[in-house]
Every structure is written in structure tokens, then in C-alpha cells.
Amino acid sequence: MPKVPALPAGFHSDRRRWGLGLVAATAVALLPGCAAFKQIGVDVVTFGAWPDQRPPGRYAFDRLPSQNAGSPEQVQLEDAAAQALQRVGFVPADSAARADVLVQTGWSRARVLSPFADPAPWWPARGGGGAPLPPDRRAHASVGVGIGIGRGGFGIGGSFGEPATYDRQQAQLLFIDRTSRDKLVEIRVQHEARYSSADYLPLLFDAGLSGFPDLKAGTRQVTVQLP
């Protein structure tokens, strides 16, 4: 009896994630008035924790050398972050020297192949079952600005035809005490959908700061309402 090739690492978890998404989408479609279509779910990961008893205070953006303060992308990124920061009590400082905390921002967006896509029929792991490329080979294209950005994606389309893709974007906030330069807390917010855009940035930052100042280390899922 022929040996069945092993599926790539992470394949089952990806299929489970997409399966749960399909079930959720089906349930949503049955709701009266499709009200749940006006919300999105995002994953929030927090590293560190906001110090107990510390008020929000005054903030200023701390830009990386690669971040051009006048570029449209940076303006959009900081405007979105500022809205979320001020909603939880932070106040913009007149200058970085007068700020209590410095805030670094980051954003990245990648077009990623669906785990159900079959862009390379000749892939050795196919085994007759249409197994997808491994997770680390599914990046289709990516852009980004800010914290941790720098690894570009690569295209695998073209001769394989138009792949079934979805969007993955991540927004980041890093809070730094201006006086001591201690890193207080880092927040990463990720959203995956068939289509997404930078217009969701205010929602992603809102999700990351939800519950402030009770920002505990760990992973959580947050549902935010669409405008």
C-alpha cells in the first residue's frame, strides 16, 4: 500500500482556522438584518503590561529612521493611532521633550494564498490530494512601514494562474517611557480577511487598546464595529 505523504507543518491549523471562519460566516448570514456583517474580529497580542496606577499622560510619536514624517503612509498611520490613543485618555504633547511616553507605530499588509489554494499542482507534497504550499511559502506580496518591517514577500502567481488569496495586515504600537527609555508595553493587532485595507487602521488600534489601562500580556480576540 503506497505511503501517503505528510502534509506541511501548520496545514491542519490553517484548515481549522479557515473552517471556523466559514462556520462563523455562515452563522452570521443567518442573523436578522445581517447586523454582524458590520463588525470584524481581530487577534491582539500584548507583550509586557501597562504599569499599574500609571495614567495615560502625554504622548509623542517616536519615528524610526525609515519612517518619513511627511509621507502619506506615515500620516495615515499616525492619524489612526492618534485617534485610538486619545480615545483612551492620552493627550498629544507639544513636543517629544514634554511627552510622558513615546509611541512607535508600525503597519504591514500582505496578500497571502489561501491554505485551500492549489497554485502548484506539481508540488511534491500534493500526494493526489491538492496539498497547498507550506505556510512559509504562501506570501504573495507585502508592504509595510514601522516596527519590525523589512522582510518582503515574493510572488508565486503568473504561470500558475490567479491564486485564491486573502489579506493579512498587522498594526503595532510600542510604548516607551520618555525619561528612562524603558519599553513599557508592545501591542500587535492582526486582521485576516478576503479583502482588507489600511482604512481599517483606526479599528485595529482601537482593538489593541481596548480595555486600557488593563493591558495584560497574552493573546486575545477582539470584535470591533465597522463604521
Side-chain angles (χ1 to χ4, degrees):
M1 188 172 182
K3 183 178 179 181
V4 178
L7 294 176
F11 177 64
H12 291 295
S13 61
D14 277 344
R15 288 184 67 93
R16 180 177 180 273
R17 184 185 187 91
W18 274 72
L20 291 175
L22 180 60
V23 171
T26 304
V28 163
L30 299 177
L31 293 176
C34 298
F37 278 122
K38 296 182 179 180
Q39 61 187 26
I40 61 172
V42 299
D43 297 320
V44 178
V45 183
T46 304
F47 302 90
W50 184 258
D52 289 338
Q53 307 302 318
R54 177 168 182 156
R58 296 166 297 182
Y59 77 92
F61 289 114
D62 185 36
R63 301 181 186 94
L64 300 177
S66 60
Q67 292 178 308
N68 183 350
S71 69
E73 295 82 5
Q74 190 64 24
V75 169
Q76 183 179 19
L77 179 63
E78 292 183 3
D79 282 350
Q83 294 175 41
L85 288 167
Q86 292 172 43
R87 270 194 278 269
V88 297
F90 285 92
V91 177
D94 296 336
S95 66
R98 294 174 60 84
D100 300 305
V101 293
L102 301 176
V103 181
Q104 290 186 4
T105 58
W107 171 78
S108 64
R109 176 176 174 266
R111 196 72 172 156
V112 184
L113 281 176
S114 160
F116 294 121
D118 191 12
W122 44 265
W123 183 250
R126 179 178 172 86
L133 294 172
D136 62 344
R137 292 290 303 279
R138 289 204 305 273
H140 185 58
S142 64
V143 296
V145 58
I147 309 169
I149 305 305
R151 294 184 59 188
F154 64 94
I156 58 174
S159 62
F160 303 139
E162 181 63 25
T165 58
Y166 66 101
D167 282 342
R168 173 186 295 157
Q169 66 171 321
Q170 184 180 91
Q172 296 166 278
L173 289 171
L174 175 62
F175 292 86
I176 304 170
D177 182 87
R178 185 190 62 81
T179 303
S180 67
R181 300 297 297 186
D182 289 339
K183 296 176 177 63
L184 303 176
V185 61
E186 179 184 356
I187 302 169
R188 298 179 186 175
V189 187
Q190 182 169 290
H191 175 238
E192 296 181 356
R194 186 66 179 87
Y195 296 103
S196 189
S197 77
D199 292 337
Y200 282 4
L201 273 173
L203 301 179
L204 300 186
F205 286 128
D206 278 339
L209 290 172
S210 63
F212 182 90
D214 186 22
L215 299 179
K216 303 298 185 184
T219 303
R220 55 196 169 103
Q221 292 186 326
V222 179
T223 300
V224 292
Q225 299 297 318
L226 295 175

